[in-house]
């Protein structure tokens, strides 16, 4: 089936008032970024909907395949066009039906006749097209309320446009419409899901990862790089800040009692994240913590961790069940990467009996015997910054 254009519906954006144009502009820019490899696409943004067109049929099909990952889109429909000749209208309607799975489905025809000089009125055109379709597809059942297939026909001055599919979009808000935050990306199941949920609310992300060689392998770092790259598939560049954390962890092991060492580790990670956040101009820190899931995620532990910063900390998974988090990870494609058996620095140094209700004053007392500030500043300064998706570079070495 040859489609003329894609009709994009905004959904939540339609509820915005005076700021609607700004949100639509973000969506348009994100679509341009996501489809930079498709040079013929043209975007026409209107108040309540957007049209994407291309003279290249393969680009239209690429749009249909990849648009479901773009945040800010409630749904979209491929649109076909034809002349206002009645035979052409009926033939196009059958072609659209041929492209759908229509066996034993409920069906209706909806007509909008903007061209008032068209010879058939709305009801007549609806009746003629529906009768012809039903003759060709006798298993269809007419249903006027919420049918499974709604063949929509719009008669305009220049042509007739038709659509029958309503493909769900990712919903949410366009990326960039709600600022930037820094995601603490561990490599487990939870943090990529937390990042996805902030992306869906229009927040651009940098990510930070703590790497402790030789205790953590290069494969564990590559695993996190893969996760950052997967998050970039939702429409924006993701920068990954890899923090050298070995010296800090060894200092913690030497100075802090084992049962509260994990609390101190998280607190120092948060201090480092806050410095990086300030440097890149992000407005918040995002974590994949879920209340009570592990010892460092009790209310007492989270309170002790929060005490090192006044920066907003976003925990979108805080009340979620682990199985629900796994379902989202599978849905967004990060689960298989997250379960690869390469441990992060927190897993390797997990104490045998960590405190689940650490006292803040005691944790601060133990930390007071060691000045971590110099190590923290050094770790921030020596971080590695990677950008995803990575740009492909041409290798000309074989020509030298």
């Amino acid at each position: 089936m040859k489609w003329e254009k894609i009709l994009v519906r905004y959904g939540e954006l339609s509820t915005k008032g005076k700021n609607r144009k700004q949100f639509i502009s973000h969506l348009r820019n994100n679509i341009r970024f996501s489809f930079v490899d498709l040079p013929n696409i043209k975007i026409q943004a209107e108040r309540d909907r957007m049209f994407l067109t291309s003279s290249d049929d393969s680009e239209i099909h690429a749009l249909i395949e990849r648009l479901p990952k773009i945040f800010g889109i409630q749904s979209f429909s491929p649109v076909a066009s034809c002349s206002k000749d009645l035979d052409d209208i009926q033939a196009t309607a059958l072609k659209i039906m041929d492209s759908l799975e229509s066996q034993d489905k409920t069906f209706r025809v909806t007509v909008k006749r903007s061209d008032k000089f068209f010879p058939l009125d709305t009801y007549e055109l609806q009746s003629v097209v529906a009768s012809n379709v039903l003759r060709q597809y006798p298993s269809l059942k007419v249903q006027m309320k919420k049918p499974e297939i709604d063949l929509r026909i719009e008669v305009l001055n220049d042509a007739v446009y038709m659509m029958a599919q309503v493909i769900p979009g990712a919903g949410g808000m366009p990326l960039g419409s709600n600022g930037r935050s820094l995601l603490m990306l561990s490599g487990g199941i939870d943090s990529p899901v937390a990042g996805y949920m902030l992306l869906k609310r229009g927040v651009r992300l940098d990510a930070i990862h703590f790497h402790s060689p030789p205790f953590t392998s290069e494969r564990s770092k590559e695993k996190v790089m893969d996760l950052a790259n997967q998050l970039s598939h939702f429409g924006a560049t993701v920068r990954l800040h890899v923090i050298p954390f070995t010296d800090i962890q060894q200092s913690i092991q030497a100075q802090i009692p084992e049962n509260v060492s994990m609390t101190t580790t998280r607190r120092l990670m948060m201090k480092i994240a806050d410095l990086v956040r300030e440097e890149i101009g992000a407005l918040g820190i995002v974590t994949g913590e879920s209340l009570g899931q592990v010892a460092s995620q009790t209310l007492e532990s989270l309170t002790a961790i929060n005490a090192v910063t006044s920066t907003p900390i976003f925990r979108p998974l805080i009340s979620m069940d682990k199985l629900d988090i796994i379902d989202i990870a599978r849905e967004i494609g990060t689960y298989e990467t997250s379960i690869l058996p390469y441990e992060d620095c927190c897993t390797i140094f997990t104490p045998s009996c960590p405190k689940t209700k650490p006292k803040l004053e005691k944790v601060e007392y133990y930390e007071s015997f060691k000045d971590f500030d110099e190590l923290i500043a050094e770790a921030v300064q020596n971080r590695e910054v990677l950008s995803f998706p990575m740009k492909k570079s041409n290798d000309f070495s074989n020509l030298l």
Side-chain angles (χ1 to χ4, degrees):
M1 180 69 209
K2 180 174 176 57
W3 301 107
E4 179 78 14
K5 60 181 71 176
I6 304 292
L7 166 64
V8 173
R9 302 176 187 86
Y10 300 143
E12 186 176 350
L13 300 192
S14 299
T15 65
K16 302 302 177 185
K18 294 181 180 180
N19 293 327
R20 183 191 304 219
K21 287 184 180 180
Q22 180 182 346
F23 286 97
I24 293 173
S25 177
H26 279 295
L27 177 58
R28 181 175 57 242
N29 293 339
N30 291 341
I31 291 174
R32 290 192 189 281
F33 173 85
S34 298
F35 295 100
V36 68
D37 58 318
L38 308 180
N40 298 308
I41 290 175
K42 296 181 180 179
I43 303 174
Q44 177 188 347
E46 299 180 357
R47 178 178 174 81
D48 295 312
R49 58 188 182 177
M50 181 181 290
F51 289 101
L52 310 179
T53 60
S54 174
S55 57
D56 188 334
D57 194 46
S58 65
E59 291 191 347
I60 293 290
H61 285 281
L63 282 169
I64 294 171
E65 181 180 346
R66 290 155 54 183
L67 273 176
K69 287 189 174 181
I70 306 298
F71 295 117
I73 296 176
Q74 186 66 28
S75 65
F76 63 93
S77 297
V79 179
S81 68
C82 65
S83 70
K84 292 191 282 185
D85 178 77
L86 187 57
D87 289 338
D88 198 9
I89 292 172
Q90 294 190 80
T92 303
L94 291 179
K95 287 179 182 178
I96 291 176
M97 295 303 297
D98 287 342
S99 70
L100 304 175
E101 176 56 53
S102 58
Q103 187 70 24
D104 297 323
K105 296 288 181 68
T106 56
F107 162 81
R108 78 176 176 193
V109 175
T110 303
V111 173
K112 181 179 180 181
R113 193 172 63 99
S114 299
D115 179 7
K116 302 305 180 184
F117 294 100
F118 188 75
L120 298 180
D121 65 25
T122 299
Y123 175 76
E124 289 171 333
L125 181 57
Q126 183 182 35
S127 179
V128 168
V129 174
S131 297
N132 189 49
V133 169
L134 289 169
R135 281 194 295 270
Q136 298 298 321
Y137 298 93
S139 69
L140 287 172
K141 298 178 182 178
V142 175
Q143 180 172 303
M144 300 309 293
K145 291 185 177 181
K146 297 183 179 179
E148 294 170 284
I149 299 175
D150 185 3
L151 179 60
R152 304 180 187 185
I153 303 174
E154 187 166 355
V155 183
L156 301 179
N157 292 326
D158 61 329
V160 173
Y161 295 91
M162 294 189 213
M163 68 189 84
Q165 293 173 274
V166 178
I167 302 172
M173 306 295 291
L175 278 172
S177 60
N178 278 315
R180 180 180 296 276
S181 287
L182 180 65
L183 170 67
M184 299 182 74
L185 188 61
S186 67
I189 296 171
D190 300 339
S191 54
V193 174
Y196 165 81
M197 294 179 76
L198 263 291
L199 288 170
K200 188 171 184 177
R201 298 312 303 164
V203 178
R204 292 189 184 275
L205 292 178
D206 276 49
I208 187 170
H209 176 68
F210 298 87
H211 187 47
S212 295
F215 304 107
T216 55
S217 68
E218 193 65 20
R219 294 298 297 272
S220 70
K221 175 182 169 183
E222 292 172 359
K223 170 183 171 180
V224 172
M225 291 168 60
D226 287 342
L227 290 171
N229 189 54
Q230 287 171 322
L231 289 175
S232 75
H233 294 167
F234 292 100
T237 299
V238 174
R239 288 181 301 181
L240 175 65
H241 304 257
V242 181
I243 302 293
F245 202 57
T246 307
D247 290 346
I248 293 176
Q249 282 205 284
Q250 289 180 320
S251 296
I252 292 171
Q253 298 304 307
Q255 179 62 49
I256 307 298
E258 184 185 31
N259 62 349
V260 294
S261 63
M262 184 56 66
T263 302
T264 293
T265 298
R266 298 285 190 183
R267 281 165 54 86
L268 298 190
M269 285 180 170
M270 190 64 71
K271 284 185 177 182
I272 291 172
D274 204 25
L275 290 173
V276 173
R277 175 208 61 78
E278 184 176 7
E279 186 176 316
I280 64 176
L283 300 177
I285 297 171
V286 186
T287 80
E289 291 161 323
S290 176
L291 189 61
Q293 190 175 126
V294 294
S296 63
Q297 296 176 21
T298 64
L299 274 178
E300 291 82 0
S301 293
L302 295 177
T303 298
I305 295 168
N306 286 3
V308 301
T309 179
S310 59
T311 296
I313 301 173
F314 303 116
R315 296 181 169 99
L317 312 185
I318 193 68
S319 65
M320 290 185 64
D321 184 86
K322 186 69 174 185
L323 295 179
D324 294 332
I325 298 171
I326 289 173
D327 287 343
I328 297 174
R330 287 196 170 109
E331 181 183 336
I332 66 176
T334 59
Y335 178 75
E336 295 300 328
T337 303
S338 292
I339 62 173
L340 291 174
Y342 307 119
E343 295 179 304
D344 60 41
C345 58
C346 291
T347 306
I348 288 175
F349 286 95
T350 300
S352 56
C353 296
K355 280 265 187 190
T356 59
K357 297 182 179 182
K359 301 292 184 182
L360 176 59
E361 58 272 16
K362 285 191 175 181
V363 174
E364 291 175 334
Y365 172 74
Y366 295 135
E367 292 174 2
S368 68
F369 291 96
K370 173 70 177 178
D371 185 3
F372 290 101
D373 290 347
E374 185 176 342
L375 290 174
I376 288 173
E378 185 177 331
V380 172
Q381 182 177 354
N382 294 333
R383 73 186 187 274
E384 179 183 9
V385 182
L386 304 167
S387 185
F388 300 93
M390 281 188 166
K391 294 181 180 179
K392 296 180 180 179
S393 59
N394 293 323
D395 185 3
F396 298 110
S397 58
N398 60 326
L399 301 179
L400 300 177

